[in-house]
């Protein structure tokens, strides 16, 4: 069935009106998202002695706010590219555990996140991952010598097979 020009125009207008309907609702959603108060920790799990980045937002990010937590104390978060940011170092002697980190905005609104501190453990030796054929020791020269012998033998066999194929 072929549509006439007025019918095609009406169909296009209807399609654009339906497709544009969500766009009418977006400004209200964006306005609500701008009023969000939040706090992000990156990473949220750290070893004692490591640095954690704080990224936050209040209703107005033009003024500094404060973030408090047992491991890091009180840290001011300063305006930076429409967010409030800072870094804090978890003390090296901090006990492992979960700590509540709270953002205190100038307008008395708050947000919180959890910081997971894990114990800083240094291994006594490397992991046991295999035979250690490349490690120096009495078996290293044996393995290298064996590998060279196999390569020379393969080369000799290749040369012999090429010479046999040639007509005499």
């Amino acid at each position: 069935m072929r549509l006439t020009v007025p019918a095609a125009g009406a169909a296009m207008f209807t399609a654009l009106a339906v497709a544009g309907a969500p766009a009418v609702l977006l400004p209200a959603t964006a306005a609500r998202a701008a009023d969000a108060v939040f706090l992000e920790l990156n990473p949220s799990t750290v070893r004692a002695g490591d640095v954690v980045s704080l990224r936050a937002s209040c209703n107005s990010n033009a003024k500094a706010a404060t973030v408090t937590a047992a491991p890091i104390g009180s840290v001011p978060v300063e305006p930076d590219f429409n967010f409030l940011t800072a870094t804090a170092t978890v003390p090296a002697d901090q006990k492992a555990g979960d700590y509540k980190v709270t953002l205190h905005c100038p307008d008395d609104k708050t947000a919180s996140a959890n910081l997971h501190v894990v114990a800083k453990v240094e291994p006594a030796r490397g992991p046991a991952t295999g035979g250690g054929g490349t490690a120096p020791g009495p078996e290293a020269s044996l393995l290298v010598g064996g590998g060279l012998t196999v390569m020379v033998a393969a080369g000799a066999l290749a040369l012999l097979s090429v010479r046999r194929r040639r007509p005499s």
Side-chain angles (χ1 to χ4, degrees):
M1 176 177 170
R2 183 173 179 205
L3 295 176
T4 62
V5 173
M12 183 178 286
F13 176 77
T14 305
L16 288 175
V18 170
V24 174
L25 300 175
L26 284 178
T29 306
R32 263 187 249 120
D35 291 341
V37 176
F38 67 86
L39 174 63
E40 294 176 351
L41 308 174
N42 188 19
S44 62
T45 301
V46 296
R47 294 185 312 169
D50 285 354
V51 175
V52 62
S53 295
L54 308 169
R55 181 174 171 245
S57 179
C58 292
N59 287 335
S60 170
N61 291 334
K63 296 180 183 178
T66 305
V67 172
T68 57
I72 59 174
S74 180
V75 178
V77 284
E78 301 290 331
D80 184 30
F81 296 109
N82 294 326
F83 291 103
L84 302 171
T85 61
T87 57
T89 302
V90 177
D93 60 347
Q94 185 66 42
K95 290 185 178 183
D98 295 339
Y99 297 93
K100 184 176 180 182
V101 182
T102 306
L103 167 70
H104 302 279
C105 295
D107 60 355
D108 294 330
K109 294 202 176 184
T110 61
S112 63
N114 287 324
L115 177 65
H116 309 285
V117 178
V118 294
K120 186 172 187 174
V121 178
E122 297 294 330
R125 54 180 267 227
T129 58
T134 59
E139 27 324 295
S141 60
L142 181 65
L143 290 173
V144 171
L148 287 175
T149 303
V150 168
M151 288 177 25
V152 168
L157 285 173
L159 183 63
L160 184 63
S161 69
V162 168
R163 294 188 88 195
R164 280 193 163 185
R165 278 194 234 165
R166 288 187 190 164
S168 300

